Amino acid sequence: MKKILMACGVAAMMLPMVSCNNGSQAESADNFADSLAVYMGRTNGAMCAERISSLPTPDREKFEKESFLRGFKQVLMADTSDVAYFYGLSIAMNIQQQLMSMGRDGLEVNPETLYRNFAAAFKADSMNLTAVQMDQGIYQKLMMEAQGKMNQNRMAAQEREQAARASEAANNEAKGAAFVEEAKKADSSIQTTASGLSYKVVTPGTGANATDTDQIKVHYTGKLIDGTVFDSSVDRGEPVDFAVGQVVPGFGEGLKLMNKGAKYTLYIPASLAYGNNAVGSIPPGSTLVFDVEVLDITPSK
């Protein structure tokens, strides 16, 4: 989240490199200052929206745009002639970002306690430099210790996530293997290679088979074993061109069994696809089912 906020904050410096065509919603601009305000607002708003759309799904679902705009407006509309208030707002935002970062790594710092001590030190009638230096030394040691605790918490969270992902992957792999075995029992034409790729020849093609370095044009639909479509050039209405060697191993192996005009169904186990990794809407350990049609093959030169 911090990277998202920083990206939004520096968007204004990138104005010459970014354009945003929002003609139907454009606000008219009568002079240079108005034009600058319009395009600074429009471009930064679009960039922030783009960054937020790339957040992981759980964070994106919790992100409320109206709350974001309320905070943005409060700072933007602040009375800059009240220098002290604006400066305090700026300092507090920086410290709040630190607290948010600590909280994400399992270290909760009480903001009320922090504020009471900040206010007391800030409003003190006099400053004991020796005491301040001692406090700074203690603070530095505490921050080093805090960093260590956060690193430990982060590693523990990663280990829990990896264990959960491995468990989910193992479960999905078992389901995928059972699904393919049932399909093979129901259809004896489904064959399995030494690597574990299973495939069905729906329509044979003609000519030479594709190789790793060939450029191939295909139409495909990729599904999970429950029938969920995660990607489809057919649905997009536009075939895809790529080098055979640039895809996941199972898909590449299946393409090399095919020639121009061939239609196959490929059953790709996780070991030949994305393994324990979750990719987009594909859960870890997923067996992938592809309906593939080879439209053309361009041999490498």
Side-chain angles (χ1 to χ4, degrees), residues 57-74:
T57 300
D59 291 341
R60 190 171 65 251
E61 290 177 345
K62 292 185 294 185
F63 196 100
E64 296 185 2
K65 286 192 174 183
E66 289 303 319
S67 294
F68 173 88
L69 288 173
R70 188 166 62 252
F72 177 82
K73 185 176 181 180
Q74 181 175 349

Side-chain angles (χ1 to χ4, degrees), residues 59-274:
D59 291 341
R60 190 171 65 251
E61 290 177 345
K62 292 185 294 185
F63 196 100
E64 296 185 2
K65 286 192 174 183
E66 289 303 319
S67 294
F68 173 88
L69 288 173
R70 188 166 62 252
F72 177 82
K73 185 176 181 180
Q74 181 175 349
V75 174
L76 190 66
M77 301 301 179
D79 182 4
T80 54
S81 65
D82 187 348
V83 177
Y85 172 78
F86 201 73
Y87 189 52
L89 202 62
S90 175
I91 297 297
M93 287 178 63
N94 287 331
I95 293 177
Q96 179 64 287
Q97 284 193 353
Q98 285 184 278
L99 298 187
M100 289 171 62
S101 177
M102 291 177 177
R104 284 195 297 273
D105 289 325
L107 185 60
E108 298 292 340
V109 176
N110 189 317
E112 293 183 1
T113 301
L114 189 157
Y115 173 74
R116 284 198 306 272
N117 286 271
F118 180 97
F122 185 72
K123 294 191 295 184
D125 293 333
S126 60
M127 184 178 298
N128 184 327
L129 293 180
T130 301
V132 169
Q133 290 174 350
M134 289 180 60
D135 284 351
Q136 288 176 341
I138 295 172
Y139 174 58
Q140 290 175 354
K141 290 180 180 179
L142 288 171
M143 283 301 295
M144 290 179 63
E145 185 177 350
Q147 191 61 56
K149 290 180 181 293
M150 288 189 292
N151 288 339
Q152 290 177 354
N153 292 340
R154 194 179 302 119
M155 290 178 62
Q158 290 174 349
E159 289 173 358
R160 289 193 299 270
E161 182 181 344
Q162 289 171 357
R165 187 165 60 243
S167 176
E168 182 184 0
N171 185 44
N172 287 335
E173 283 189 55
K175 289 180 179 179
F179 173 85
V180 174
E181 286 304 311
E182 287 298 318
K184 290 169 68 174
K185 288 178 183 179
D187 187 345
S188 60
S189 69
I190 297 176
Q191 304 177 60
T192 301
T193 68
S195 69
L197 170 71
S198 295
Y199 65 94
K200 174 183 173 64
V201 179
V202 179
T203 303
T206 58
N209 287 23
T211 68
D212 275 325
T213 55
D214 287 344
Q215 196 76 12
I216 193 166
K217 177 179 286 188
V218 301
H219 252 321
Y220 67 88
T221 296
K223 297 175 287 187
L224 303 178
I225 61 173
D226 64 0
T228 301
V229 175
F230 58 82
D231 191 14
S232 175
S233 67
V234 177
D235 290 347
R236 291 192 297 272
E238 185 175 355
V240 179
D241 288 277
F242 51 80
V244 174
Q246 292 179 339
V247 295
V248 295
F251 196 48
E253 182 182 354
L255 291 174
K256 287 185 288 184
L257 298 173
M258 302 175 71
N259 45 21
K260 186 174 179 179
K263 294 182 181 179
Y264 279 31
T265 298
L266 307 178
Y267 302 87
I268 306 175
S271 59
L272 298 176
Y274 297 112

